[in-house]
Amino acid sequence: MENNIRNFCIIAHIDHGKSTMADRFLELTGTVSPDKLKPQMLDRMPLERERGITIKLTPVTMNYKLNNQDYILNLIDTPGHVDFSYEVSRSLAAVEGAILLIDASQGIQAQTLANLYFANEQNLKIISVINKIDLPSADIERTKAEVGSLLKIKEDEIILASAKRGDGVKEILARVISDVPAPGGEKSKDLRGLIFDSIFDEYRGVIIFVRLIDGCVKRGDKIKMLSNGKVATVLEVGIFKPDLTPNKELSAGLIGYIATDLKEINDCRVGDTITTIEGKDIKPLPGYRDIKPMVYASLYPKEGNEAGRLRLALERLKLNDASLIFEPEHSPVLGFGFRAGFLGLLHLDVVKERIKREYNLELVITAPSVVYKIKNKNSPDEFFIYSPLELPDPSIIEHIKEPWVKLDIIVPVGYLGAIMELANNFRGNFISLDYLFGHNAIKEESQRAILHYEAPLAMLLVDFYDKLKSASAGYASLSYEFFEFRPAQVVKLDIFVAEEKVESLATIVYEDTVQQVGRRIAETLKEVLPRQMFEVKIQAAVGGKIIASERISAMRKDVTAKLYGGDITRKMKLLDKQKKRKKEMLKSAKVDIPPEAYLAVLRKK
Ligand code: GTP
């Protein structure tokens, strides 16, 4: 039976039509009846459907008959955005083949390349498909030339398709069956399975999404997590149709789910190997790269007393989102919250939205910053800091390093100059330039190139992406991958309000921009802080040296308003009294910084 199984996924740049193509597969194989089929059926989260993006990988099992043979086709739909490439890498570890989908009107884009590299690393069989050939703007010849050149294949091996109209869909499934190798593995061997995802079910416990390599598992069995030795009882096994559908058993080669009685979310680690308790000398399966979040931000509940609920929400989300990490934190202004790590800004945004929708919690989120690696003079080891507050005193620091990424930008050559200038302004180092193969008939200006750069990740967190889009009239696409930590000339910028240091407003900034940033923060605070009865000094300082300052003048109360006539001595007396009172007030002056002011500063960063 194993010979009749094919496990594959669809990879593509964002919006090139993966989920729509998956709809056509569901339709053709009769997995979902036509009256139940909704567009982008495999985007199951409301947030995915609303934004039209795939966030989570989604598996589905389809039965298909070809030339009188029955096949089990296991498809994993993957997200396209760079922030979710860890989902892609997990899907790839669970399959033997990948359909590489390219939009005929857009051609190869940055994430097409990034995902193709991932798939090649896993030695997957690639089936290339040009999608959206129905579009009037489709440039099939050029896209064929690009794909042929990139994959080093003949142009007639590329399937032309329209996920919208249904062209090429049968041909793609036939090619999956003929070209993607059937999974190896044996049912009679000890159980071995790769956990590629998991969810938490209120009533049952942890539900593991698994690709079985060897063996067989059924209800009532005991399974063991190889990394931590935790044992769970199997409550149910089944497959994705795409809803969870119980089965008698799951055996080697298949993709399915195992509902367990595990109640501790942390007991199940995505990427781990499962086996039986008797299983001896079972080696862990090569999981996939452990991805370390490099972007950090603090999350606080809008209502001060909801930190407990926020912790629960984060724990549950983590089960479904292995890359999310968090630690408790306290801010004098915002109360109890969490410092959390993300793979990028879209990831942060999605977590925020999911917490709001799925857990009904409104959040206040501070400006994201990157992780830094520090070495102190008196210590042999380097360590990470996740927040400016953790930065040691400059006098004891030997060096500070920041994360750098390798950046690929695909852009029509007509925009090369503008994009290179932009990358330079964002501290990028140019590495090389390649041209994507173009069709002879096209104009020079629209021929496309890949720019390879290295850049500090911190620069991408500002507004690089928006600027890239506007500098290329929307044509440029971007993908990046962390590669190393490099020395950074950065300092901690402290903010004082009414002579008092406001810890939660401290930031880490490049030394050569500190003056500019300090001035901007002081100006913003001047705009947003409420006036007091006394004058408030706002200062930005580095290592105790003031580099920018502003003043908010005192609110003036006309204490002489009630006086009639011209009794000058009485007037002077009143003003004198007011002056004395203000002086007294200033001694104990303390300005409460409202959360809105705090966020206004961080946003303007
Ligand atoms: P992400 O998962 O967010 O990366 O997107 P995706 O690759 O799953 O793309 P999706 O299927 O959501 O399609 C993106 C848009 O392209 C949708 O508006 C689809 O209706 C449209 N689309 C997909 N395939 C075709 C096609 O063959 N022709 C045309 N004209 N439109 C298509």
Side-chain angles (χ1 to χ4, degrees):
M1 186 62 188
E2 284 86 29
N3 276 341
N4 288 358
I5 302 172
R6 299 291 182 275
N7 298 320
F8 65 105
C9 60
I10 315 180
I11 52 177
H13 188 76
I14 189 160
D15 273 353
H16 281 202
K18 288 177 303 289
S19 306
T20 310
M21 184 58 81
D23 290 348
R24 297 292 83 76
F25 294 157
L26 295 176
E27 204 171 59
L28 180 64
T29 56
T31 308
V32 178
S33 60
D35 55 313
K36 296 228 171 78
L37 193 79
K38 293 180 279 191
Q40 283 111 44
M41 181 90 191
L42 293 187
D43 286 345
R44 301 176 73 73
M45 258 190 253
L47 184 60
E48 291 181 308
R49 305 187 64 77
E50 217 168 87
R51 296 206 183 175
I53 54 166
T54 307
I55 294 165
K56 281 297 303 169
L57 61 87
T58 316
V60 61
T61 295
M62 303 175 287
N63 293 95
Y64 189 55
K65 208 180 189 101
L66 186 73
N67 301 332
N68 275 329
Q69 274 275 9
D70 286 318
Y71 291 95
I72 298 174
L73 305 181
N74 291 311
L75 161 70
I76 305 183
D77 186 24
T78 61
H81 191 277
V82 54
D83 276 15
F84 304 116
S85 49
Y86 67 104
E87 291 276 328
V88 179
S89 72
R90 278 154 47 191
S91 311
L92 297 183
V95 298
E96 283 79 33
I99 297 171
L100 181 70
L101 208 63
I102 297 130
D103 183 328
S105 66
Q106 309 256 317
I108 289 171
Q109 297 286 324
Q111 280 295 296
T112 320
L113 280 185
N115 289 328
L116 177 65
Y117 296 150
F118 282 154
N120 281 337
E121 271 172 31
Q122 300 271 353
N123 285 324
L124 298 190
K125 174 73 198 171
I126 310 285
I127 296 167
S128 11
V129 176
I130 296 181
N131 188 33
K132 304 198 190 181
I133 57 164
D134 60 289
L135 281 178
S137 55
D139 190 341
I140 299 172
E141 290 311 310
R142 186 183 65 176
T143 312
K144 257 190 188 172
E146 282 182 1
V147 175
S149 149
L150 177 70
L151 291 169
K152 308 208 167 29
I153 53 173
K154 289 201 204 84
E155 289 184 19
D156 60 8
E157 286 178 42
I158 304 165
I159 302 175
L160 300 182
S162 162
K164 189 173 181 183
R165 285 194 316 223
D167 311 26
V169 179
K170 271 191 182 158
E171 198 185 335
I172 299 172
L173 287 190
R175 191 75 77 72
V176 166
I177 288 168
S178 64
D179 288 14
V180 175
E186 284 174 39
K187 190 176 170 183
S188 55
K189 281 191 173 170
D190 278 335
L191 178 70
R192 257 185 347 144
L194 174 69
I195 305 177
F196 66 89
D197 207 355
S198 57
I199 52 172
F200 188 79
D201 181 289
E202 285 285 350
Y203 304 104
R204 293 186 276 196
V206 176
I207 299 182
I208 299 168
F209 291 15
V210 69
R211 157 68 200 274
L212 280 200
I213 307 297
D214 287 318
C216 178
V217 60
K218 57 183 183 321
R219 186 191 161 130
D221 286 355
K222 296 250 187 251
I223 54 168
K224 185 172 74 177
M225 316 284 141
L226 213 55
S227 70
N228 56 16
K230 291 278 173 204
V231 173
T233 303
V234 176
L235 304 178
E236 181 181 300
V237 299
I239 52 174
F240 307 95
K241 292 289 281 172
D243 295 325
L244 304 188
T245 309
N247 230 7
K248 230 171 66 210
E249 60 172 37
L250 268 187
S251 59
L254 283 177
I255 288 175
Y257 71 90
I258 302 175
T260 69
D261 61 350
L262 280 179
K263 294 284 182 257
E264 264 309 308
I265 290 161
N266 296 330
D267 287 347
C268 168
R269 197 177 62 83
V270 165
D272 201 355
T273 303
I274 56 155
T275 181
T276 50
I277 33 177
E278 299 86 31
K280 295 213 168 42
D281 299 329
I282 299 284
K283 300 226 163 21
L285 294 163
Y288 24 77
R289 288 182 285 181
D290 237 352
I291 297 184
K292 187 176 162 46
M294 293 285 167
V295 176
Y296 281 77
S298 300
L299 316 182
Y300 292 91
K302 240 186 195 148
E303 303 300 329
N305 54 358
E306 305 253 55
R309 284 220 304 132
L310 178 55
R311 171 186 285 281
L312 190 72
L314 286 168
E315 279 175 352
R316 297 247 162 116
L317 274 187
K318 185 173 170 54
L319 186 68
N320 197 228
D321 180 349
S323 60
L324 176 67
I325 59 170
F326 53 91
E327 290 252 323
E329 185 185 66
H330 180 258
S331 144
V333 186
L334 300 168
F336 287 98
F338 295 89
R339 186 84 184 154
F342 304 91
L343 299 179
L345 295 182
L346 182 64
H347 186 207
L348 164 62
D349 194 35
V350 161
V351 167
K352 174 184 158 205
E353 271 299 307
R354 287 189 68 183
I355 289 177
K356 185 171 161 193
R357 281 153 190 259
E358 296 168 30
Y359 301 91
N360 201 15
L361 264 176
E362 289 275 357
L363 296 185
V364 169
I365 299 189
T366 65
S369 62
V370 298
V371 53
Y372 291 93
K373 207 177 202 181
I374 314 283
K375 188 181 170 308
N376 284 340
K377 284 175 186 157
N378 56 2
S379 146
D381 300 320
E382 291 183 313
F383 57 94
F384 290 109
I385 62 156
Y386 302 96
S387 142
L389 301 186
E390 297 170 83
L391 193 68
D393 188 86
S395 63
I396 63 163
I397 297 178
E398 188 169 299
H399 64 234
I400 304 178
K401 290 179 178 172
E402 63 177 335
W404 275 62
V405 292
K406 279 193 191 299
L407 201 63
D408 281 353
I409 303 169
I410 297 192
V411 68
V413 292
Y415 298 99
L416 272 179
I419 300 300
M420 291 173 85
E421 192 186 329
L422 178 72
N424 278 343
N425 291 343
F426 276 76
R427 298 173 193 264
N429 292 342
F430 172 77
I431 303 297
S432 62
L433 170 71
D434 293 325
Y435 289 93
L436 282 178
F437 207 81
H439 192 248
N440 294 339
I442 61 160
K443 285 207 305 271
E444 189 68 33
E445 286 286 285
S446 61
Q447 183 128 23
R448 295 177 328 129
I450 315 175
L451 278 166
H452 303 284
Y453 269 86
E454 296 169 348
L457 175 61
M459 296 312 292
L460 300 192
L461 296 188
V462 194
D463 52 359
F464 183 73
Y465 189 69
D466 294 342
K467 292 223 163 85
L468 182 75
K469 283 286 175 191
S470 58
S472 65
Y475 284 119
S477 67
L478 162 86
S479 78
Y480 60 84
E481 194 180 15
F482 164 75
F483 79 106
E484 66 178 10
F485 278 87
R486 286 190 181 171
Q489 302 306 319
V490 290
V491 288
K492 184 167 156 221
L493 179 65
D494 289 314
I495 301 295
F496 292 80
V497 174
E499 318 274 353
E500 203 172 316
K501 196 195 268 188
V502 187
E503 291 285 10
S504 38
L505 284 178
T507 46
I508 294 177
V509 289
Y510 289 107
E511 221 168 346
D512 55 5
T513 60
V514 73
Q515 194 89 31
Q516 199 187 337
V517 178
R519 212 172 300 132
R520 205 164 52 215
I521 294 183
E523 282 165 10
T524 310
L525 277 175
K526 183 179 176 177
E527 273 169 42
V528 296
L529 278 181
R531 280 173 88 190
Q532 309 288 328
M533 293 304 288
F534 48 88
E535 185 186 72
V536 176
K537 243 197 275 176
I538 303 166
Q539 294 162 316
V542 174
K545 191 172 155 237
I546 309 292
I547 52 146
S549 73
E550 289 286 344
R551 276 162 202 275
I552 305 177
S553 53
M555 239 190 303
R556 284 193 59 169
K557 191 174 166 199
D558 190 358
V559 284
T560 60
K562 283 188 191 145
L563 280 183
Y564 294 101
D567 183 351
I568 184 76
T569 46
R570 176 124 179 79
K571 197 170 175 180
M572 290 308 289
K573 232 177 174 171
L574 276 175
L575 287 174
D576 204 41
K577 213 166 123 195
Q578 185 189 32
K579 214 165 159 187
K580 275 194 191 133
R581 222 179 29 234
K582 276 194 176 174
K583 225 174 187 172
E584 275 306 302
M585 232 192 261
L586 208 56
K587 270 193 218 155
S588 58
K590 203 172 157 10
V591 180
D592 279 333
I593 303 198
E596 304 80 63
Y598 177 68
L599 289 173
V601 170
L602 292 175
R603 265 193 223 111
K604 286 214 173 169
K605 220 185 94 192

